[in-house]
Amino acid sequence: MKLKVYTADGSSSSEKEFALPAFEGDKGVAALRQVVLAHQANARQGNASTKTRAEVAGSGKKLFRQKGSGTARQGSRRVPHQRHGGIAHGPKPRDFSQKINRKMKDLAFSRALFERATEGGLSVIESVEVKEPKTKLFNQVLTAVLPTRGKVLIVDDQFENNAALAARNIEGVSLSEAGNLSTLDVVRYRHIIVSAKGIETIIARANGAKGGES
């Protein structure tokens, strides 16, 4: 698959063939959906908790006599339909995590890369580096590569210190190392810029090499 390859300063580009996985039809789409859902579920803390009628504070005394009041009989202030009463069927702490096997993770990661590359959202830059840790310098390179952009993910095998410092204050820009790139990251960002070293690591992962989290 051909991707645009930019020079380190973003001033010029050329097209180069990369051994990214290719798909026909809907293969891998179901796996991609399931893995994205699993990532989102695993990020949930699951600590929402409400009190039942047995746990709320309040008197257990009968509110009024059984008969003769002209209203429905009531036995306790702590029942769910009373103000400040307990919650019926409310959430309790639970584990939302889902287990996904390695084969499905790898398939989903490859499919996500294929989709992003097909849509033109995956670009390669020779190296992610700036001479000084200044946001202005990094922003100039980013603007040269993507004149109009929204949220952007910058991926490198290992970030140079100047680049990491220069990029951290730019709105909408996130950094990720190639070994830690997840399927959810590929799906979430419409524009991904990968260094030459980073794309090698990603291709190795997509084509079966172990390492990182899909």
Side-chain angles (χ1 to χ4, degrees), residues 1-20 117 120-128 141 145-146 153-156 191-200 202-203:
M1 184 177 292
K2 287 187 177 181
L3 298 177
K4 271 191 174 183
V5 181
Y6 291 87
T7 55
D9 59 1
S11 59
S12 61
S13 67
S14 59
E15 284 195 342
K16 186 178 176 181
E17 191 74 28
F18 290 92
L20 287 169
L122 185 61
S123 304
V124 179
I125 191 168
E126 289 178 353
S127 60
V128 181
V141 176
V145 176
L146 292 173
L153 180 65
I154 312 294
V155 182
D156 199 356
H191 299 290
I192 302 175
I193 301 173
V194 191
S195 70
K197 288 184 178 179
I199 197 69
E200 290 177 6
I202 290 171
I203 289 172

Side-chain angles (χ1 to χ4, degrees), residues 28-36 100 104-105 107-108:
V29 173
L32 175 57
R33 178 182 180 278
Q34 189 58 48
V35 168
V36 169
I100 302 293
M104 183 179 283
K105 283 183 179 180
L107 177 60

Side-chain angles (χ1 to χ4, degrees), residues 3 7 9 23 33 41 53 57 64 68 72 83 86 88 118 121 127 147 151 153 155 162 166 171 185 190 192:
L3 298 177
T7 55
D9 59 1
F23 291 86
R33 178 182 180 278
R53 61 181 294 178
F64 43 78
R83 187 166 181 264
T118 303
S127 60
K151 290 185 177 180
L153 180 65
V155 182
N162 283 352
E171 185 179 0
D185 290 332
R190 290 193 176 276
I192 302 175

